[in-house]
Amino acid sequence: MKYLETKHERNSAKITGLLLIILTLLLFVVGPPYMDPPEEYGVAINFGTPSVADDVQPDAPSSPEDANENDIAEEAPAETDEVVEEDAAEEIIEEDVAEEVAEETVEEESVEETVEEVEEVVEETVDETAKQQAEEDLLTQQAEEALKIKEAKEAEERAEQEAKDKAEKEAKEQAEKEAKEQADREAKEAKEAKEKADRDAKAKAQKQAAEAKKKADRIAAEKAAKAKADADAKAKAAAEAKAAADRAAKKKAAAAAAAAKAKEGGSGSDEVSFNAIENVPIYPGCESGNNAARKKCMSDKIKQFVGGKFDKELAGDLGLTGVQNIVITFKINNKGQVVSIRAKAKHPKFEEEAKRVTKLLPKMKPGKQNGRAVTVPYRLPLRIQTGN
């Protein structure tokens, strides 16, 4: 049981008990005021505390002798009995009233004393309770203040610890950052040192390779010079032999040409440049106009034809970019056919493609000089634009 453990609870129980006692006394003591019974009843009725007068019962016989006396009294005259009875009743009533008044006075004084005592006890109890409550409030306040001081101290310690932890963390991060920067600098310096060493080694190797190459070139040059001297000697001998053969062949060709010219009536064996030709070869579709108009029409048509047929993706396949310049030369013989096709470009594939497209040119009417069909050489510069 945990009841009435504290002094405050015990005092509360005391106060409650005293209040119950006061209420009980008030219920029994406080009531309607006493009133004397009417005289016509002849007998006083007292409902209060029994008194000595109440114990006396004059009418009840206490012994046989009293009974005989009562019997004798009953035999007395009626008037005398009535007077005696009235006097006795009045005396009894007066005595009862006096006793009741005295008893009520005593009871009221006792009740008042009891009430005063209860009030004093209640006041003392209340004062003690208030004092105890004040002490408890003071203790509670002190405990709260101590708790606040403790919490403030703990908060301050936490703040100091957090500041310390933060400072340690920042110092650690700064140290890590400096270590990382130092490591990065060292790595960079090591990398630069390695690159410098590689460059030095490469330069040394290149120097050694250049010296070795120079030595090898010198040896090769000496060998080449010797071989060239030998080849020159052989070539000179061969040239002399070839010159003799060429002279013989030239004489033979001149004789054959003279024979052919004589056979063809001397026409078609001459060449006239494109700029000097009297009647330019006529490209299909360029028949109208004068000689200059036909020249321009022929040049435009040939350039358009070759440029349109040329494979422009060839440059991408070969890894070439930009503008590719190609020079194509060919001849239009006395029969209007395209012959002796040559091409010059950066890559052999371009030269082959230029020759392939040029062979596709249509047959033209041959150019004429002095009324005779002649061979006309033609030069076509071509610019091919690639994708990049």
Side-chain angles (χ1 to χ4, degrees):
M1 295 294 289
K2 294 184 179 181
Y3 300 104
L4 305 179
E5 290 184 353
T6 64
K7 187 175 181 181
H8 178 68
E9 291 177 346
R10 290 193 293 271
N11 292 332
S12 298
K14 290 179 181 179
I15 294 171
T16 304
L18 292 173
L19 291 174
L20 290 174
I21 292 171
I22 293 170
L23 291 174
T24 303
L25 292 173
L26 291 174
L27 288 174
F28 281 99
V29 174
V30 178
Y34 175 78
M35 296 179 65
D36 293 334
E39 293 182 356
E40 58 265 20
Y41 290 106
V43 179
I45 300 173
N46 184 14
F47 295 97
T49 303
S51 62
V52 179
D54 294 332
D55 295 334
V56 178
Q57 297 180 358
D59 295 335
S62 60
S63 64
E65 293 178 358
D66 295 333
N68 293 327
E69 290 177 359
N70 291 333
D71 294 335
I72 293 171
E74 290 177 357
E75 291 176 358
E79 295 179 358
T80 304
D81 293 337
E82 291 177 357
V83 172
V84 173
E85 286 177 359
E86 289 178 359
D87 295 336
E90 289 177 359
E91 291 176 357
I92 291 170
I93 289 170
E94 290 176 358
E95 290 176 357
D96 289 339
V97 169
E99 289 177 358
E100 287 176 359
V101 170
E103 287 176 357
E104 287 178 358
T105 304
V106 172
E107 286 177 356
E108 288 177 358
E109 292 176 355
S110 177
V111 169
E112 289 177 357
E113 290 177 357
T114 304
V115 170
E116 290 176 356
E117 290 176 356
V118 169
E119 289 177 352
E120 290 177 358
V121 171
V122 169
E123 290 177 356
E124 291 176 357
T125 305
V126 170
D127 294 338
E128 186 176 357
T129 304
K131 183 178 179 182
Q132 183 180 2
Q133 184 66 35
E135 291 176 355
E136 290 179 357
D137 293 340
L138 180 61
L139 291 175
T140 303
Q141 184 178 1
Q142 291 177 352
E144 290 177 353
E145 290 177 356
L147 181 61
K148 289 181 180 179
I149 292 171
K150 183 180 178 181
E151 290 177 351
K153 186 175 180 181
E154 290 177 352
E156 184 179 359
E157 291 176 353
R158 284 197 301 271
E160 290 177 357
Q161 185 64 32
E162 289 175 357
K164 184 178 179 181
D165 294 340
K166 184 177 180 182
E168 291 178 355
K169 183 178 179 182
E170 291 177 353
K172 184 178 179 181
E173 291 176 351
Q174 183 66 23
E176 290 177 353
K177 183 178 179 182
E178 291 176 357
K180 185 176 182 300
E181 291 176 353
Q182 180 67 22
D184 292 341
R185 284 196 299 271
E186 291 177 356
K188 184 177 180 181
E189 291 174 359
K191 183 179 178 181
E192 292 175 354
K194 185 177 182 299
E195 291 176 352
K196 184 179 180 182
D198 292 341
R199 287 195 300 270
D200 294 340
K202 186 176 180 181
K204 186 176 180 181
Q206 289 177 350
K207 184 178 180 181
Q208 292 175 353
E211 291 175 356
K213 185 176 183 297
K214 187 175 180 182
K215 185 177 179 180
D217 291 342
R218 188 172 62 253
I219 295 171
E222 292 174 355
K223 290 181 179 181
K226 184 178 179 182
K228 185 179 180 182
D230 295 339
D232 288 342
K234 291 179 181 180
K236 186 176 181 182
E240 291 175 354
K242 184 182 180 184
D246 289 340
R247 285 194 296 270
K250 189 174 181 180
K251 288 181 181 180
K252 186 177 179 180
K261 184 177 180 181
K263 184 178 179 180
E264 294 177 0
S267 63
S269 61
D270 297 334
E271 285 186 6
V272 181
S273 68
F274 184 75
N275 293 328
I277 191 70
E278 291 180 354
N279 295 305
V280 68
I282 300 174
Y283 190 92
C286 296
E287 292 82 3
S288 61
N290 56 17
N291 191 51
R294 290 197 296 270
K295 282 183 179 182
K296 185 176 185 307
C297 180
M298 176 183 173
S299 297
D300 293 340
K301 291 285 187 181
I302 291 175
K303 186 179 293 186
Q304 184 179 0
F305 180 88
V306 174
K309 297 290 185 180
F310 199 93
D311 185 7
K312 295 180 175 61
E313 295 181 357
L314 183 62
D317 296 339
L318 298 174
L320 301 176
T321 58
V323 178
Q324 303 298 321
N325 294 314
I326 305 171
V327 178
I328 305 172
T329 59
F330 57 88
K331 294 180 181 180
I332 304 169
N333 63 12
N334 57 358
K335 294 181 181 180
Q337 297 173 341
V338 177
V339 296
S340 302
I341 301 172
R342 294 180 182 179
K344 186 177 181 181
K346 288 183 178 180
H347 199 281
K349 293 290 184 180
F350 274 89
E351 295 177 355
E352 294 176 3
E353 179 66 13
K355 290 178 182 179
R356 182 190 71 81
V357 175
T358 304
K359 288 180 181 179
L360 299 177
L361 286 170
K363 184 178 180 180
M364 296 173 257
K365 291 182 179 180
K368 292 183 178 181
Q369 185 74 12
N370 296 324
R372 293 181 298 126
V374 295
T375 299
V376 179
Y378 188 83
R379 181 176 180 274
L380 174 63
L382 189 66
R383 291 168 59 88
I384 302 298
Q385 178 68 44
T386 60
N388 294 328

